[in-house]
């Protein structure tokens, strides 16, 4: 089993260092997410996520996301995952972005708080674009129960770092950040729901953007 103490320390450091203020063009959006997960045995589980993402003050469907993945559980709180993304992007122009990704995730309980760290490597494939952009995503979060209620508070921050520079698709270095605060709860024995606010900052080549997003999600765990 991998020693996860350094990873949890990095989790807390990333949350503290999360960017707070940027000078950028601002917009409003909505992410509506649904996920279905299945634990096959002690070692393997699968997940399929579908998202609708709206921007232009929730007036335009920007993309539809399909994301299947399979995870191998190294320990009760550690896993590695292989996944695939299909982004059907509608605005500002129609095209498809596909991604292959590999991920390591670990969490640790410091009762009653649960801290987590996720590191994801992505290989991105764009229609009509030469080259394969590669980037690393690092997401740190904490999950805290809300006293005397069924709700839990989630705080998270995710940084996106490009490992190469490809024309018309991805700059190298830091180019995106997502900060999230939300509340979740169990709706039934197998169904969980979450609602929250996400601040998405995009470091563009010509101009920066900041999108204030409402996130609504449901997740179903199959028996």
């Amino acid at each position: 089993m991998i020693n996860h103490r350094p990873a949890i320390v990095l989790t807390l450091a990333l949350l503290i260092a999360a960017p707070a203020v940027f000078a950028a063009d601002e917009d409003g959006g909505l992410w509506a997410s649904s996920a279905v997960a299945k634990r096959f045995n002690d070692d393997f589980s699968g997940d399929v996520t579908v998202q609708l993402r709206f921007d232009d003050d929730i007036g335009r469907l920007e993309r539809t996301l399909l994301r299947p993945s399979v995870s191998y559980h190294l320990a009760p709180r550690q896993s590695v995952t292989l996944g695939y993304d299909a982004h059907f992007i509608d605005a500002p122009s129609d095209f498809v972005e596909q991604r292959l990704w590999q991920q390591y995730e670990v969490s640790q309980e410091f009762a009653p708080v649960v801290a987590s760290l996720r590191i994801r490597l992505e290989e991105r494939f764009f229609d009509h674009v030469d080259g394969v952009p590669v980037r690393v995503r690092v997401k740190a979060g904490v999950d805290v129960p809300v006293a005397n209620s069924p709700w839990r508070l989630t705080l998270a921050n995710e940084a996106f770092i490009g490992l190469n520079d490809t024309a018309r698709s991805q700059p190298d270095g830091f180019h995106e950040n997502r900060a999230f605060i939300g509340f979740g709860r169990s709706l039934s024995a197998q169904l969980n729901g979450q609602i929250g606010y996400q601040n998405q900052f995009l470091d563009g080549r010509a101009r920066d953007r900041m999108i204030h997003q409402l996130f609504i999600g449901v997740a179903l765990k199959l028996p």
Side-chain angles (χ1 to χ4, degrees):
M1 184 175 66
I2 298 173
N3 182 0
H4 51 255
R5 296 285 180 175
I8 299 304
V9 172
L10 180 58
T11 295
L12 300 177
L14 285 170
L15 284 174
I16 294 171
V21 178
F22 300 96
D25 294 339
E26 298 190 44
D27 194 3
L30 166 67
W31 286 18
S33 179
S34 61
V36 178
K38 172 69 175 178
R39 188 70 178 251
F40 302 117
N41 51 44
D42 291 341
D43 295 328
F44 290 96
S45 64
D47 183 281
V48 177
T49 297
V50 177
Q51 287 184 354
L52 300 178
R53 299 181 181 180
F54 297 85
D55 64 2
D56 195 19
D57 293 327
I58 320 181
R60 176 179 66 181
L61 177 63
E62 188 265 338
R63 73 180 62 193
T64 302
L65 165 64
L66 174 64
R67 172 180 289 152
S69 63
V70 176
S71 297
Y72 175 73
H73 299 268
L74 302 168
R77 292 186 177 273
Q78 294 184 64
S79 64
V80 290
T81 303
L82 295 177
Y84 165 78
D85 283 10
H87 292 249
F88 302 96
I89 300 173
D90 298 306
S93 59
D94 294 338
F95 67 96
V96 177
E97 178 191 348
Q98 301 181 78
R99 301 176 189 172
L100 298 176
W101 51 272
Q102 306 80 43
Q103 174 180 291
Y104 170 72
E105 187 168 14
V106 60
S107 65
Q108 176 67 35
E109 184 174 1
F110 303 94
V113 177
V114 176
S116 63
L117 177 67
R118 189 184 79 186
I119 302 173
R120 179 180 295 178
L121 180 68
E122 290 183 327
E123 300 83 39
R124 309 172 70 191
F125 304 87
F126 293 85
D127 288 347
H128 314 301
V129 173
D130 294 331
V132 179
V134 180
R135 70 181 177 187
V136 173
R137 299 168 53 167
V138 181
K139 182 178 182 179
V142 292
D143 192 63
V144 185
V146 178
N148 302 316
S149 81
W151 295 90
R152 297 186 67 88
L153 170 67
T154 297
L155 300 171
N157 192 76
E158 185 172 22
F160 295 64
I161 302 169
L163 300 183
N164 59 348
D165 192 336
T166 54
R168 297 188 298 137
S169 58
Q170 173 182 284
D172 60 355
F174 168 81
H175 62 265
E176 183 176 343
N177 192 84
R178 297 176 187 171
F180 177 83
I181 179 171
F183 294 90
R185 60 166 296 174
S186 296
L187 303 176
S188 70
Q190 283 81 40
L191 186 64
N192 293 319
Q194 187 176 49
I195 186 169
Y197 163 76
Q198 179 171 268
N199 181 292
Q200 182 182 24
F201 170 76
L202 301 167
D203 185 3
R205 296 178 186 269
R207 62 172 186 170
D208 296 339
R209 295 183 67 204
M210 178 182 290
I211 309 175
H212 305 279
Q213 294 153 338
L214 173 65
F215 178 89
I216 302 174
V218 292
L220 175 65
K221 291 185 179 181
L222 299 177

